[in-house]
Amino acid sequence: SVKLTFPGGLGELVARMESRLRRVRVIKNRRVSSVRREAGGYRIIMENRQELAADTVICAAAGSVAAHLFEQLDPADGIDHFALQLLARAACFAPGEPIPKDLLFATVIGQEFGNDDILTFLSAEDGLARLIALGILQNDAPGKVVLHRLLATFTADFLDIDQNVQRSVENALLGVLSTYSENARNLATLPFSVTHLKHVTDNTFARPNKAVFRLGILFGAHLRDVGDFENAYHYLDQSLAVASGAHDINGQAEAWIGLARAQEKPQEILLCTLRAEQLLRDHEMADQATLAAALHYKGWAYYQMGQAESAIRAAEEGLNLCKAADSQILMGDILNLLGMVSYYTLGKFEAARQYLERALAIFREFGSQLAESTVLNNMAESARLQGDFALARDIYQDALNIA
């Protein structure tokens, strides 16, 4: 291949820049011993112990030179050991994208190190401070750090990041996102950058493990909630393929349920939920909460198709499974569906009131405000259909107050 440079080498570029700079001192041919992060900038230590202050440092050096930064980290030292572990995991996130510190800590605390006690957390904080002091990581927005994209590439090669490190990042994202999804009930917004979720999911789909396809399902849910249905289908299909390759029946069913939620037509929702239901009924080790979720969306599809009795049968079976599995949030969802079918399709307002009040109590107990607002809307609509407009107005106002 042809390589273009200056006739006298790249040194010409430095000489030309030096000749044009005014009121600037150019220091050349000096070895830098270390670079330290300080408040408001950096402290550069030269080999002759001369110190320079700088607002910004750009490292344009061969890998063997840049490696000197990492050589200052001693794996035998407790703090440096945490620093190296955090650095390896930071390199698995999207390069140049701010990483929440709490998310980075979650990749080491309670996983490789076996516990989440206060001493472990303090050691991780010290390790992160060490990386910042060396200028390897930089503070960004409050509570976030950044690993420069060039340094991220070098880190991945230098530290020889293995699958255990990558899996710890996947599991951390999965844990944080699963909890957030259960509480928020909608993934249009995320607790961290969507760039990180896409980067980690894309890089790990080749490895058939549970974290990968469940991350794909959650990413598909996010894409669905922001209206990007084409890419939602793509990631959900990939998740289904990985779960199938791993012979994970529950994972396949979760992917089918995810695909059902990404459909717009009730007939397509029903087809996806039937696939999930069949997989789970044919497997004796099937997760009962997942089967309950499939029955919930099956009931929802029947409701949209105007088949109230079929919707009730599916929802009631799902409700019984929720009780056995102690799946409270899903129980609230199914109770809300039963309430909707009862008042809107069947005109059974008293039965609807009982279902909706039980759902409301569950969502209030778990602090799920979006779900609470949804139930209140249904209660208001039921009151309106019965002609009690004053009550309907009051309940609608309650829903608006928490929406």
Side-chain angles (χ1 to χ4, degrees):
S1 60
V2 178
K3 296 182 180 180
L4 301 178
T5 186
F6 296 97
L10 286 175
E12 277 193 29
L13 177 61
V14 178
R16 185 66 62 87
M17 290 175 64
E18 184 180 2
S19 68
R20 295 195 175 190
L21 291 171
R22 298 291 182 266
R23 297 187 299 277
V24 173
R25 183 163 60 108
V26 179
I27 302 174
K28 298 183 294 184
N29 301 317
R30 296 280 185 87
R31 184 184 297 275
V32 175
S33 298
S34 66
V35 178
R36 298 175 183 170
R37 177 76 171 179
E38 294 184 347
Y42 296 86
R43 178 70 54 181
I44 302 170
I45 314 299
M46 315 295 285
E47 64 178 346
N48 60 357
R49 298 189 180 278
Q50 180 185 2
E51 296 187 8
L52 301 174
D55 295 325
T56 303
V57 172
I58 299 174
C59 181
S64 59
V65 177
H68 179 64
L69 284 173
F70 294 165
E71 290 171 357
Q72 297 180 65
L73 295 170
D74 179 7
D77 178 83
I79 292 176
D80 283 1
H81 176 65
F82 267 96
L84 287 165
Q85 296 299 321
L86 289 168
L87 179 59
R89 286 154 174 79
C92 294
F93 286 88
E97 189 73 16
I99 307 170
K101 292 179 182 179
D102 288 346
L103 181 59
L104 186 56
F105 288 148
T107 65
V108 294
I109 297 174
Q111 294 184 29
E112 179 178 340
F113 294 93
N115 60 70
D116 57 357
D117 61 26
I118 189 63
L119 292 178
T120 305
F121 179 75
L122 292 174
S123 295
E125 281 195 321
D126 289 341
L128 183 62
R130 177 88 165 113
L131 293 172
I132 293 171
L134 289 171
I136 297 174
L137 291 181
Q138 295 186 353
N139 280 312
D140 189 72
K144 296 181 180 181
V145 293
V146 172
L147 178 64
H148 191 278
R149 60 180 63 250
L150 296 179
L151 196 52
T153 302
F154 177 79
T155 299
D157 294 337
F158 184 83
L159 295 183
D160 191 24
I161 295 171
D162 61 21
Q163 288 192 10
N164 290 330
V165 171
Q166 293 172 323
R167 191 164 291 123
S168 71
V169 174
E170 296 163 13
N171 288 332
L173 263 66
L174 181 62
V176 170
L177 199 53
S178 296
T179 301
Y180 180 84
S181 174
E182 185 171 319
N183 293 331
R185 312 309 307 284
N186 185 286
L187 289 177
T189 60
L190 298 173
F192 49 78
S193 169
V194 65
T195 307
H196 288 313
L197 180 57
K198 184 178 187 305
H199 177 82
V200 173
T201 303
D202 286 344
N203 285 346
T204 56
F205 256 125
R207 297 196 308 279
N209 63 74
K210 292 182 179 180
V212 172
F213 65 73
R214 288 197 166 87
L215 274 179
I217 291 170
L218 289 168
F219 189 28
H222 162 73
L223 293 168
R224 175 202 67 222
D225 288 344
V226 298
D228 188 353
F229 290 100
E230 181 178 352
N231 280 312
Y233 300 149
H234 169 72
Y235 279 94
L236 290 164
D237 276 337
Q238 279 193 283
S239 299
L240 178 60
V242 173
S244 299
H247 306 292
D248 190 315
I249 297 299
N250 292 314
Q252 292 176 61
E254 288 178 33
W256 277 114
I257 292 170
L259 284 165
R261 297 181 66 190
Q263 307 299 324
E264 296 182 83
K265 296 180 179 179
Q267 294 82 0
E268 294 171 346
I269 296 173
L270 181 60
L271 287 174
C272 291
T273 57
L274 289 174
R275 294 293 299 269
E277 180 186 1
Q278 191 62 54
L279 280 168
L280 295 166
R281 292 195 187 279
D282 290 344
H283 199 274
E284 60 182 14
M285 299 300 291
D287 181 71
Q288 296 303 294
T290 305
L291 178 55
L295 290 167
H296 170 229
Y297 288 107
K298 178 183 177 181
W300 180 256
Y302 278 132
Y303 165 68
Q304 289 184 301
M305 294 165 65
Q307 299 181 33
E309 296 301 330
S310 295
I312 292 276
R313 283 196 299 272
E316 285 182 341
E317 183 183 359
L319 188 63
N320 290 330
L321 290 172
C322 283
K323 293 175 183 177
D326 194 28
S327 183
Q328 294 293 310
I329 294 292
L330 181 55
M331 186 184 298
D333 288 334
I334 295 177
L335 287 167
N336 181 57
L337 172 61
L338 285 166
M340 292 175 64
V341 177
S342 296
Y343 83 77
Y344 192 78
T345 305
L346 301 177
K348 297 181 178 180
F349 297 105
E350 177 57 26
R353 182 188 64 79
Q354 294 181 30
Y355 285 132
L356 293 173
E357 285 182 352
R358 289 170 63 190
L360 188 64
I362 290 173
F363 293 138
R364 282 178 171 169
E365 179 184 352
F366 286 88
S368 183
Q369 291 189 324
L370 180 61
E372 180 183 346
S373 177
T374 299
V375 174
L376 286 170
N377 271 306
N378 282 321
M379 296 175 78
E381 183 64 9
S382 178
R384 186 190 68 81
L385 290 174
Q386 295 177 74
D388 194 339
F389 299 109
L391 177 60
R393 184 172 58 252
D394 289 343
I395 300 176
Y396 275 131
Q397 188 60 56
D398 289 342
L400 283 172
N401 290 340
I402 62 173

